[in-house]
Amino acid sequence: MSERFLVTGGAGYVGSHLVLALLDRGDEVVVIDNLRTGHRAALPAGVRLVVGDAGDPALLDAVLGEGGWSAAFHFASLSLVGESMREPYRYLLENAATGIRLIEACVRHGVRRFVLSSTANLFDQADRDLIDETTPIVPGSPYGESKHMVERALLWADRIHGLRSACLRYFNAAGADPQGRIGEDHDPETHLIPLAIDAALGRIPPLNVFGDDYPTPDGTCVRDYIHVADLADAHLRVLDVLTTRSATYNLGNGRGHSVREVIDTVGRIAGRPVPHVVAGRRAGDPATLVAGSARMRAETGWTPRHASLDDIVATAHAWRLAHPGGYGAN
């Protein structure tokens, strides 16, 4: 049976892949997005787009007041870690206020399920190889802190009003729709895989490798990359959990890849080397961040379908070749 969902930030990278997954299974989707970083062209036909801020109480009342909602998915936020270090109060105020106003509006209009796009930036000082849900929360930036504030607000919304919520703390989203319908287009781009692809294609200067003296096998930072389509699938799977309780899940493949591994993989997929230079370390970059996702796998049956780095890079590369200008002029 078709359901009806609200997706804030649904014109953004991960949000648009969830929207596509919902449409593929026959659901109705309404997106709220201010298009500051999202793209109208990322939304396929059949999606109703409401252009505006997800924290605008009047807009939320107008949209949620229509009723008939199965759940709300919340992606809309400022999301650049480095920028949050330069503008901490902007991130803390805007992200927390937007999330809390949306939560309040969902409670007011009887929405019973809520899924939050959270972050691995909650774990800046992890004390273990695999970062699972029991890892102590030490946000690595005001961005991570702002997500934690929304998670805490959801805890109280459950205790007081019975709003069931899932906080999905995912690691490094990467790749593109395997069918090539949508992909990744940020301005500025800060993610390693698309930057490495553009460097290989000669579209940007040589890639900066920030540090090669970490305590890792090849000296470069190790990260867990998860395909964006697998993230979308995870968002769908938690809906059944939310019929009875709230939940928190860390999402990743459970295997780390170093910066050099990514560079080598991109070079092999692209058929040309990735020009790069070694620069100094960036402040605050942990050596290794890898997700422990056993809880998600056990409780929902979720298993990444595009777990190999080759698959992730291949879909990103194919979309970038087909859309050299992103969602703009190609």
Side-chain angles (χ1 to χ4, degrees):
M1 179 182 294
S2 175
E3 297 183 88
R4 188 167 189 246
F5 296 98
L6 175 68
V7 182
T8 72
Y13 175 41
V14 182
S16 63
H17 282 80
L18 171 68
V19 168
L20 198 58
L22 289 168
L23 290 181
D24 283 347
R25 70 177 204 169
D27 292 319
E28 178 186 353
V29 183
V30 178
V31 168
I32 295 178
D33 200 300
N34 58 22
L35 300 181
R36 282 188 299 187
T37 58
H39 304 274
R40 191 184 299 267
L43 297 175
V47 175
R48 175 182 161 202
L49 171 63
V50 179
V51 179
D53 290 327
D56 180 343
L59 183 148
L60 290 174
D61 281 343
V63 174
L64 290 174
E66 298 170 1
W69 302 101
S70 294
F73 296 90
H74 182 41
F75 295 90
S77 74
L78 301 170
S79 60
L80 299 179
V81 170
E83 183 179 67
S84 80
M85 297 296 284
R86 298 189 298 272
E87 303 179 56
Y89 306 114
R90 177 186 174 213
Y91 268 69
L92 293 169
L93 285 167
E94 184 166 331
N95 285 352
T98 296
I100 292 169
R101 286 170 180 156
L102 176 61
I103 293 165
E104 181 188 30
C106 285
V107 169
R108 191 163 59 247
H109 292 283
V111 179
R112 305 303 300 168
R113 296 182 293 177
F114 190 109
V115 182
L116 172 66
S117 167
S118 193
T119 176
N121 195 244
L122 296 179
F123 309 108
D124 184 54
Q125 298 180 23
D127 58 356
R128 57 199 73 182
D129 292 333
L130 290 180
I131 302 171
D132 64 14
E133 296 81 5
T134 67
T135 303
I137 292 175
V138 182
S141 69
Y143 164 65
E145 187 72 56
S146 71
K147 289 290 189 177
H148 189 217
M149 292 165 74
V150 179
E151 287 197 13
R152 294 293 299 176
L154 284 169
L155 181 148
W156 291 108
D158 185 356
R159 289 187 183 179
I160 297 171
H161 300 291
L163 175 64
R164 302 290 184 254
S165 62
C167 298
L168 303 186
R169 301 161 172 172
Y170 36 86
F171 283 56
N172 293 274
D177 170 49
Q179 298 180 44
R181 294 170 291 180
I182 56 176
E184 186 169 10
D185 183 8
H186 296 118
D187 184 18
E189 184 57 72
T190 61
H191 293 170
L192 176 59
I193 289 176
L195 287 173
I197 291 171
D198 278 355
L201 297 175
R203 294 173 179 166
I204 62 172
L207 183 72
N208 282 321
V209 176
F210 295 107
D212 64 352
D213 58 350
Y214 285 92
T216 61
D218 64 21
T220 63
C221 288
V222 171
R223 296 291 183 265
D224 189 336
Y225 297 92
I226 179 169
H227 197 285
V228 67
D230 289 326
L231 282 180
D233 179 51
H235 283 73
L236 301 182
R237 288 176 180 269
V238 298
L239 291 173
D240 287 341
V241 175
L242 297 185
T243 59
T244 57
R245 61 182 176 86
S246 293
T248 298
Y249 298 109
N250 289 10
L251 294 180
N253 281 315
R255 178 187 174 192
H257 296 281
S258 72
V259 173
R260 289 199 185 279
E261 283 185 89
V262 171
I263 288 173
D264 290 345
T265 302
V266 169
R268 180 160 34 81
I269 298 295
R272 60 187 77 182
V274 177
H276 61 279
V277 296
V278 176
R281 291 189 184 190
R282 290 184 301 194
D285 268 350
T288 302
L289 289 174
V290 180
S293 300
R295 178 188 292 180
M296 179 71 183
R297 294 170 188 258
E299 294 184 0
T300 71
W302 174 79
T303 300
R305 291 171 291 180
H306 309 280
S308 78
L309 185 61
D310 276 29
D311 285 350
I312 292 170
V313 169
T315 58
H317 181 255
W319 194 83
R320 201 72 180 126
L321 281 181
H323 303 83
Y327 289 108
N330 292 316

